[in-house]
């Protein structure tokens, strides 16, 4: 596709439920990043992948959050036992490579998660 | 935690005026980037400045970086109503890898 796509665009779930958020990066981009953004704040880093492996998962807030990228393209962010504090816009970005001259990250439109 | 602090938090100007936004950060960086965000959704990359650079231009944008003060500024000249958005600085501690964003400046340009 032309850009990073994320599905769903909006997700409303009940406290305690499990959710999956999907990210399709730009074709050929080897690095993929997840951030989340609360209202009025800047994006907060969660995890990034170089290829299939998680190169840095230091931003995941706790073990309820998990992300995979099994084939080095699409990634899924999984949140177990959702809490109201998980409500935010989850942003995905990709870049041509994580370590090299092309640092620019291209962001998707985000998934707005609301936990009721 | 956020690395960057941005100033001002909100800025309102008239079309044609210049807009200046500032960003301060805490640790040594590899590069600093500025992004624009409309309507609280996707971010658009504007410009990247490396730690060994002091100034960079792109169209109506001018970015400066002072590593001794750990600060950067973004200047938008001859602003337009379409420039209305939130602007974020983001620092990269290493080549590539994660970005650490500031809290942003909300710019409003009135026609």
């Amino acid at each position: 596709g032309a850009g990073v796509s994320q599905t769903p665009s909006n997700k409303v779930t009940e406290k305690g439920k499990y959710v999956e958020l999907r990210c399709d990066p730009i074709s050929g981009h080897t690095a993929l990043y997840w951030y989340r953004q609360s209202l009025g704040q800047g994006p907060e880093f969660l995890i990034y992948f170089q290829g299939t492996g998680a190169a840095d998962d230091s931003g995941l807030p706790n073990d309820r959050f998990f992300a995979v990228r099994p084939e080095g393209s699409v990634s899924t962010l999984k949140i177990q036992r959702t809490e109201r504090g998980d409500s935010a816009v989850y942003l995905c970005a990709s870049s041509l490579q994580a370590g090299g001259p092309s640092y620019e990250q291209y962001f998707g439109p985000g998934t707005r998660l609301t936990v009721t | 935690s956020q690395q960057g602090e941005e100033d001002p938090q909100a800025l309102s100007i008239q079309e044609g005026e210049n807009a200046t936004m500032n960003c301060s950060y805490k640790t040594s960086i590899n590069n600093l980037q500025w992004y624009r965000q409309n309507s609280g959704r996707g971010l658009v990359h504007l410009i990247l400045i490396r730690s060994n650079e002091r100034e960079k231009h792109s169209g109506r944008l001018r970015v400066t970086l002072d590593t001794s003060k750990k600060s950067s500024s973004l200047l938008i000249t001859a602003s337009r109503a379409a420039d209305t958005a939130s602007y974020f600085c983001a620092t990269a501690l290493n080549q590539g890898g994660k970005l650490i964003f500031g809290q942003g400046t909300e710019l409003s340009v009135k026609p």
Side-chain angles (χ1 to χ4, degrees):
Chain A
V4 178
S5 62
Q6 293 186 246
T7 54
S9 56
N10 286 284
K11 175 71 177 178
V12 180
T13 191
E14 292 180 349
K15 180 176 177 294
K17 299 289 189 183
Y18 168 83
V19 296
E20 289 189 352
L21 311 179
R22 177 187 166 107
C23 172
D24 275 276
I26 294 172
S27 177
H29 280 194
T30 62
L32 185 147
Y33 310 79
W34 284 99
Y35 297 83
R36 73 175 175 181
Q37 186 176 23
S38 300
L39 193 62
Q41 303 292 316
E44 177 187 22
F45 170 77
L46 296 176
I47 184 172
Y48 96 86
F49 292 86
Q50 179 61 47
T52 60
D56 184 348
D57 64 358
S58 62
L60 295 178
N62 52 59
D63 61 6
R64 294 187 298 105
F65 289 74
F66 190 70
V68 295
R69 195 186 185 201
E71 296 178 359
S73 178
V74 170
S75 175
T76 305
L77 178 65
K78 308 180 181 192
I79 310 174
Q80 299 177 324
R81 305 183 303 281
T82 51
E83 299 177 356
R84 292 195 181 88
D86 299 335
S87 297
V89 175
Y90 288 80
L91 296 166
C92 176
S94 69
S95 69
L96 197 57
Q97 56 189 91
S102 298
Y103 309 137
E104 180 176 344
Q105 295 184 22
Y106 295 83
F107 281 79
T111 293
R112 186 179 301 279
L113 176 66
T114 303
V115 182
T116 63
Chain B
S1 61
Q2 303 288 356
Q3 150 102 300
E5 297 290 334
E6 294 188 60
D7 161 54
Q9 289 189 336
L11 179 61
S12 182
I13 59 175
Q14 293 294 128
E15 213 167 24
E17 294 179 340
N18 295 342
T20 300
M21 290 160 267
N22 302 296
C23 168
S24 60
Y25 56 92
K26 297 174 184 171
T27 64
S28 296
I29 60 173
N30 177 278
N31 65 79
L32 185 146
Q33 304 178 36
W34 285 89
Y35 284 80
R36 183 185 71 214
Q37 185 176 43
N38 291 86
S39 305
R41 298 302 280 262
L43 290 98
V44 174
H45 181 268
L46 296 176
I47 196 164
L48 178 153
I49 186 164
R50 293 183 173 78
S51 60
N52 61 354
E53 297 176 313
R54 292 297 165 258
E55 188 171 311
K56 207 159 184 182
H57 297 254
S58 176
R60 294 184 296 113
L61 306 180
R62 173 178 167 251
V63 168
T64 62
L65 179 64
D66 187 333
T67 53
S68 66
K69 295 181 180 178
K70 292 187 170 59
S71 67
S72 174
S73 67
L74 171 67
L75 168 68
I76 304 174
T77 60
S79 64
R80 305 167 182 167
D83 295 329
T84 294
S86 293
Y87 291 81
F88 294 90
C89 69
T91 53
L93 304 186
N94 305 297
Q95 289 187 18
K98 67 183 180 186
L99 293 175
I100 302 176
F101 284 83
Q103 294 191 331
T105 293
E106 194 172 330
L107 174 66
S108 174
V109 181
K110 301 185 186 308

